[in-house]
Amino acid sequence: MEIRDAGADHIEGITAIYNDAVTRTTAIWNESTVDHANRAAWLSDRQKAGYPVLVAAGEAGEVLGYASFGDWRAFDGYHHTVEHSVYVRSDQQGKGIGRALMQVLIGRAQSIGKHVMVAGIEANNAGSIKLHEKLGFEHVGHLKEVGMKFGAWLDLAFMQLKLDARPSPDAVQTR
Ligand SMILES: CC(C)(COP(=O)(O)OP(=O)(O)OC[C@H]1O[C@@H](n2cnc3c(N)ncnc32)[C@H](O)[C@@H]1OP(=O)(O)O)[C@@H](O)C(=O)NCCC(=O)NCCS
C-alpha cells in the first residue's frame, strides 16, 4: 500500500468508496449518490485550491482509501483552518490505512502553513473518533440533533488538532 496524490485513474475508486458511505453509513450526511463527473470536479476544485487529495493505493493501483481537506469556512478569518475527510474501503478497514492517510494529510496541512484541522464526526462513529483520538485530536464540541439520516436525528462531534505552536498568525513557524 502506498499513499499518493490522487489522479484521474483514482476517480472511479474514490466514487465507489464515497457512494458506499452514502448508501450504508452515517459518515456522509447525504442520501444521494454521485457519479464519476461529480468526483472529478471535486478533485479538480481541491487541486486548484492547492489542497491535497490523497489515496491509499494497493499493488495494482486500486483505491483502498482516500483523504482530503478543504477550507473549514469561507471567510478570510478562517484561512488557517481546514476541515478534512477520510474514508477507507469497507473491506480494508482496521489495517492501519486510515491512520497512514491521516498522517500524510496532517503533514501536508502543516507544510502549507495551516494551523488547525477540524473533524466533524457523527457522534456514534466510534471508529472515526478512536482514530482521531489516537492522532492527538481533542474533543471540542458536540452539537445535538443537527443532522438526520435513515429516519433518525444525528449528533455532530467536533474534534480538532493544532498543527503548529505559532503564537500568532504572522509569527514565523519554528517547526
Ligand atoms: C474511520 C476510518 C477512516 C478509520 O480507518 P481505518 O483504516 O479503519 O483505521 P486504522 O486501522 O488506521 O486505525 C487507526 C486507529 O484507530 C483505531 N480504530 C479504528 N477503527 C476502530 C474501531 N472501529 N473501533 C475502535 N478503534 C478503532 C485503531 O485501533 C487504530 O489504533 P492503533 O493505530 O493505535 O492500532 C474507517 O474505518 C472508515 O473509513 N470508516 C467509514 C467512513 C468514516 O467513518 N469516515 C470518517 C468520517 S468522519
Side-chain angles (χ1 to χ4, degrees), residues 37-172:
N38 174 288
R39 288 302 86 184
W42 171 78
L43 174 62
S44 164
D45 287 348
R46 285 280 156 105
Q47 290 174 338
K48 274 187 211 142
Y51 289 157
V53 175
L54 302 174
V55 291
E59 272 178 26
E62 74 278 21
V63 179
L64 306 177
Y66 71 94
S68 181
F69 59 72
D71 292 324
W72 186 49
R73 289 182 167 199
F75 294 103
D76 295 342
Y78 295 110
H79 178 70
H80 295 284
T81 302
V82 291
E83 179 167 8
H84 69 281
S85 49
V86 53
Y87 301 99
V88 175
R89 211 171 78 187
S90 56
D91 62 344
Q92 297 294 324
Q93 292 171 6
K95 298 179 176 180
I97 295 172
R99 178 190 272 276
L101 280 164
M102 283 303 300
Q103 282 167 337
V104 178
L105 195 71
I106 289 166
R108 291 293 187 88
Q110 288 167 327
S111 74
I112 58 171
K114 297 298 178 186
H115 182 57
V116 170
M117 202 171 213
V118 174
I121 305 172
E122 194 266 305
N124 285 318
N125 188 345
S128 182
I129 287 174
K130 256 296 172 253
L131 165 71
H132 286 88
E133 283 172 350
K134 295 213 166 174
L135 289 163
F137 281 73
E138 56 177 326
H139 292 266
V140 288
H142 185 119
L143 304 184
K144 293 180 185 170
E145 300 187 2
V146 290
M148 56 161 193
K149 193 165 181 183
F150 304 141
W153 297 120
L154 300 176
D155 288 5
L156 184 65
F158 275 120
M159 299 181 77
Q160 75 164 72
L161 181 70
K162 257 213 241 179
L163 299 166
D164 65 30
R166 270 180 295 172
S168 75
D170 299 326
V172 175

